[in-house]
Amino acid sequence: MATSVRHTTLTLPAAPIGPDNPLPALRGAGDPHRVEIPEDTGLPPDMARQLGYQPLRSLLPTPLRDGYGRRRRATDLDAIVIENDRLRATVLPGLGGRVYSLYHKPTDRELLYRNPVMQPAAFALNGAWFSGGIEWNIGATGHTTLSCAPLHAARVPAPDGGEMLRLWEWERLRDLPFQVDLWLPDGADFLYVGVRVRNPHHHTAPVYWWSNIAVPEQADSRVLAPADTAWHFGYARTLRRVPVPGSDGADRSYPLRSTHPADYFYEIPDGARRWVTSLDADGRGLIQTSTDTLRGRKLFLWGAARAGRRWQQWLTEPGTDGYAEIQAGLARTQLEHVPLDGGAEFAWLEAYGPLAADPATVHGDDWGAARGEVAARLEAALPRADVDAAYAAWRPYADLEPKAHLATGSGWGALEVARAGLDLPGTPFDAATLGEAQQPWLTLLRTGDLPATGPLPGPAPVAPAWRELLESARPGPATDYHLGLAQWYAGDRAQAVRSWERALAHGAGWQPRYCLAAAEAEAGETARAADRYAEAFDCAHRSAGTGPSDETAASGPAARTGRGVLPALAREAVPALLAAGRSEEAARLLARLRPAELTAGRFRLLTAQVLLAQGAADRAREIFDTGFEIADLREGDETVSDTWYAIAERLVAGAGPVTDEVRARARAEHPLPERYEFRMRPV
């Protein structure tokens, strides 16, 4: 059959993504990948430089996506199929361009881990993410903020005379456009993927890219790469060089032979062909290879302990198979960001396809022989020279304009084109994609001022060029508030605080109050931060009506906006009040939420923490015994287990002090139930 690119619909049980968090994302959501590196680690010089190169200060300008739950219903998802007589790839343009399935027809095999559900979980930098398939991660250490966002998609001529699928978008954390071109040459067993990240600015930009491939996790599946050592990252926040395949007495190339979740970043020698594969007991599976620009390769495993099993269940249907991830990136590790000069680009070609190798050799004790077997089979199936030739053939096609649009992403790229007059061949950010979110900023471009009336604009641009425009605009609530966001993004925290104080003086509402609270908290001013959070909540509460029991409260747009903000503010205000020793005030604040809001798992946990602080450990324990789920529990978050043990310690200690003996008894007498076990590091 001729290669085709066509629309289809994929129906899955899916939990709706829900609304974005209305609070500006001034802080990171807690980075489980932060690493502490001893001085004697012996890091390569480029790696050492890139580990500390421009980490994120916040998630601005993107909003947190935490409005989802865990109730799934059958949902039709827009999908695009790329197919020839050997392979069929199914892509989800509305969910980050995820390759959901890669099916090999001759062997009747699904090459990827294909999740039977779409269950969001808080693994992306900004929240919502789901497991399975191949995902394109750009931005900063972690899963991209575009994990559950739409990308632009179109048909484009392919180098072999057929068609390819182009995905593209403007990544807002680093303010960079990127594209992903996917095509299947006629009769090919490999999906080709051309990737380009461009820096259209005059300044150097930090770039992060990892292509993450979920593969079935089976007892005898082995992950191989052309390396004898790897950099091991555990969630205890250490980075150390270990031998491959074995370390600490176990063969870590088999994901289920490890205990805890971990990353292994393979140290591939310069000049060696770059590939990574996962092969089952019969020596069959998926292999990924690329041109040399994509230098890094990695294995992520969940491990066989309780927490890893619990997370696997959390991300899919209990009772279904789990997954491991094999990955490829621009740097040695995912803890690095790579500098890209102004006006320059990174570009490379990847290939994904089936591999069959001799199982006795692949699973033998001789690691060198196992690697050699895979390398030989790959060279026979797809010579390295052919990958380089395919990349060279693709490069002129990367600039071709799309001929048939298939899906639409955001209008943020079009806004940047309007501001800077950018010429980006191959990735048109058309003015027709500008939407409601971009309109206030178009007004700023055209008139020099933000609109004087209406609500404050939502997730706004914060890059230096926009800061300059805001600095030249007339002062006012919106201008000063957004100028503060741009200053905060740039690390100019003192100026940001002054701007938010001016916004308050101009009559702005809860937004600058919340921002000032976050600034006080970051500065370690616990009591003042608690005051500011309480003020922000009071302000939003007044705009939403007189209280949860008042059915005649205001119901206009402002009221709906204020009421939607209240749970988000409460999630931050209550911990701040508890940290300041004001548990009674925290309890009163929670009581001002609607009963339906308090049934959410996050607020059940906060209620338990308030009760514990008030000396009612028995009532706090009842909440855990009744049971709750926090839909947006973040990767690496130990709040649930920490609260459980704090309650247990108080129950054991009674009115007495919590000593080491009390802690030991609490852990022995009150073991953490499996439903609350999400700890990703050794206890």
Side-chain angles (χ1 to χ4, degrees):
M1 62 178 294
T3 300
S4 63
V5 178
R6 57 183 171 84
H7 255 128
T8 190
T9 299
L10 180 67
T11 303
L12 287 178
I17 300 298
D20 290 341
N21 190 306
L23 309 183
L26 298 182
R27 292 172 290 179
D31 183 9
H33 303 98
R34 188 174 70 252
V35 65
E36 299 171 3
I37 303 172
E39 292 182 2
D40 60 351
T41 303
L43 298 178
D46 61 333
M47 182 175 169
R49 288 192 300 271
Q50 291 171 178
L51 283 171
Y53 178 55
Q54 292 201 24
L56 289 182
R57 297 187 182 96
S58 72
L59 293 179
L60 292 172
T62 60
L64 286 174
R65 311 204 76 181
D66 59 2
Y68 53 87
R70 293 189 57 79
R71 292 185 179 180
R72 299 187 286 268
R73 60 174 182 265
T75 303
D76 290 339
L77 302 175
D78 184 40
I80 299 172
V81 172
I82 313 167
E83 186 170 13
N84 66 6
D85 58 346
R86 310 284 293 178
L87 281 174
R88 181 169 63 244
T90 304
V91 180
L92 303 178
L95 293 168
R98 183 80 57 101
V99 179
Y100 175 76
S101 168
L102 187 60
Y103 173 72
H104 188 234
K105 298 178 184 180
T107 57
D108 189 27
R109 292 173 66 92
E110 173 60 53
L111 300 179
L112 304 173
Y113 167 73
R114 188 173 56 188
N115 198 332
V117 304
M118 205 291 283
Q119 175 57 60
F123 278 67
L125 286 163
N126 63 337
W129 170 89
F130 65 105
S131 63
I134 306 171
E135 55 177 310
W136 319 111
N137 288 302
I138 182 173
T141 300
H143 296 279
T144 177
T145 61
L146 298 167
S147 292
C148 291
L151 304 189
H152 301 283
R155 289 190 187 93
V156 182
D160 65 342
E163 291 183 325
M164 61 183 175
L165 170 64
R166 175 163 299 161
L167 306 166
W168 73 99
E169 189 45 282
W170 193 279
E171 199 284 314
R172 302 190 69 205
L173 288 179
R174 301 303 196 182
D175 213 23
L176 302 175
F178 71 97
Q179 72 186 78
V180 180
D181 289 352
L182 306 97
W183 78 100
L184 286 170
D186 188 24
D189 280 303
F190 281 80
L191 173 69
Y192 286 163
V193 181
V195 183
R196 178 165 63 168
V197 180
R198 287 187 274 195
N199 180 4
H201 310 297
H202 296 298
H203 60 268
T204 300
V207 174
Y208 172 94
W209 183 281
W210 281 80
S211 302
N212 287 13
I213 310 125
V215 291
E217 177 196 65
Q218 299 170 351
D220 294 323
S221 290
R222 191 177 205 188
V223 173
L224 300 98
D228 291 316
T229 61
W231 294 94
H232 168 267
F233 173 79
Y235 287 79
R237 296 178 177 143
T238 59
L239 185 68
R240 60 191 178 95
R241 194 196 298 262
V242 297
V244 173
S247 64
D248 301 325
D251 188 335
R252 306 299 182 185
S253 63
Y254 293 90
L256 285 174
R257 296 186 188 178
S258 290
T259 304
H260 298 284
D263 297 328
Y264 290 90
F265 300 101
Y266 297 110
E267 188 72 83
I268 299 176
D270 290 341
R273 186 173 186 182
R274 305 187 183 281
W275 54 263
V276 63
T277 186
S278 175
L279 303 178
D280 64 15
D282 297 324
R284 295 179 177 272
L286 175 138
I287 192 164
Q288 187 269 4
T289 187
S290 72
T291 50
D292 289 352
T293 296
L294 203 65
R295 67 175 301 176
R297 293 298 185 275
K298 171 193 163 184
L299 162 65
F300 167 75
L301 53 85
W302 282 109
R306 277 205 320 173
R309 297 303 92 199
R310 180 69 175 122
W311 275 116
Q312 292 270 31
Q313 296 169 7
W314 188 255
L315 297 172
T316 186
E317 291 281 9
T320 59
D321 293 335
Y323 72 97
E325 286 182 358
I326 55 176
Q327 305 180 16
L330 278 175
R332 284 183 174 89
T333 74
Q334 288 177 329
L335 311 174
E336 302 168 65
H337 300 116
V338 183
L340 178 60
D341 291 339
E345 64 181 40
F346 289 132
W348 63 89
L349 185 91
E350 305 181 44
Y352 298 81
L355 190 80
D358 174 53
T361 306
V362 164
H363 295 283
D365 294 334
D366 188 334
W367 175 249
R371 285 172 32 198
E373 167 68 7
V374 171
R377 298 284 184 155
L378 173 60
E379 187 64 20
L382 183 64
R384 185 177 188 179
D386 286 3
V387 175
D388 292 336
Y391 170 73
W394 166 69
R395 290 296 283 130
Y397 287 79
D399 284 343
L400 292 184
E401 293 302 306
K403 65 178 184 178
H405 286 264
L406 301 172
T408 302
S410 77
W412 295 111
L415 182 66
E416 292 302 320
V417 169
R419 180 192 62 79
L422 301 174
D423 181 21
L424 298 169
T427 54
F429 293 98
D430 295 334
T433 63
L434 292 164
E436 182 180 357
Q438 291 82 43
Q439 291 307 313
W441 306 99
L442 286 173
T443 300
L444 177 62
L445 283 176
R446 293 165 180 165
T447 70
D449 292 300
L450 285 172
T453 59
L456 295 182
V462 292
W466 292 100
R467 175 178 174 173
E468 292 174 7
L469 288 168
L470 289 167
E471 288 173 337
S472 301
R474 284 179 296 183
T479 298
D480 290 321
Y481 167 64
H482 283 289
L483 177 57
L485 294 181
Q487 291 163 335
W488 184 269
Y489 169 80
D492 195 350
R493 303 301 168 83
Q495 287 287 2
V497 167
R498 285 192 280 272
S499 293
W500 292 327
E501 288 173 341
R502 287 197 304 273
L504 276 182
H506 285 124
W510 62 265
Q511 292 95 332
R513 289 177 169 85
Y514 165 74
C515 293
L516 289 167
E520 298 281 12
E522 185 169 283
E525 299 288 346
T526 304
R528 294 175 63 181
D531 290 339
R532 292 284 198 183
Y533 279 122
E535 291 172 10
F537 186 91
D538 288 343
C539 181
H541 194 272
R542 287 192 298 271
S543 70
T546 58
S549 61
D550 186 354
E551 300 299 332
T552 63
S555 59
R560 289 194 297 272
T561 299
R563 176 55 68 182
V565 164
L566 292 179
L569 284 171
R571 284 179 53 166
E572 300 201 32
V574 169
L577 289 166
L578 291 178
R582 292 152 61 174
S583 60
E584 299 301 327
E585 190 175 347
R588 289 193 296 272
L589 189 149
L590 279 178
R592 296 164 74 184
L593 296 177
R594 291 174 175 171
E597 292 165 344
L598 290 171
T599 63
R602 178 68 62 179
F603 290 104
R604 300 295 291 155
L605 176 63
L606 286 175
T607 301
Q609 292 171 336
V610 169
L611 289 169
L612 176 63
Q614 292 177 315
D618 53 342
R619 292 173 58 198
R621 174 62 179 266
E622 288 174 3
I623 291 175
F624 276 83
D625 291 341
T626 300
F628 60 87
E629 287 186 335
I630 301 177
D632 62 331
L633 189 69
R634 287 204 68 84
E635 173 189 11
D637 191 338
E638 298 179 357
T639 306
V640 175
S641 52
D642 287 349
T643 304
W644 168 272
Y645 284 120
I647 293 169
E649 290 164 3
R650 182 46 55 200
L651 291 173
V652 170
V658 176
T659 63
D660 289 344
E661 181 182 355
V662 166
R663 293 188 181 93
R665 280 186 56 200
R667 277 153 180 74
E669 296 174 10
H670 302 272
L672 182 70
E674 184 174 354
R675 69 182 301 174
Y676 301 125
E677 180 59 277
F678 291 97
R679 293 172 292 182
M680 298 183 74
R681 58 178 176 160
V683 177

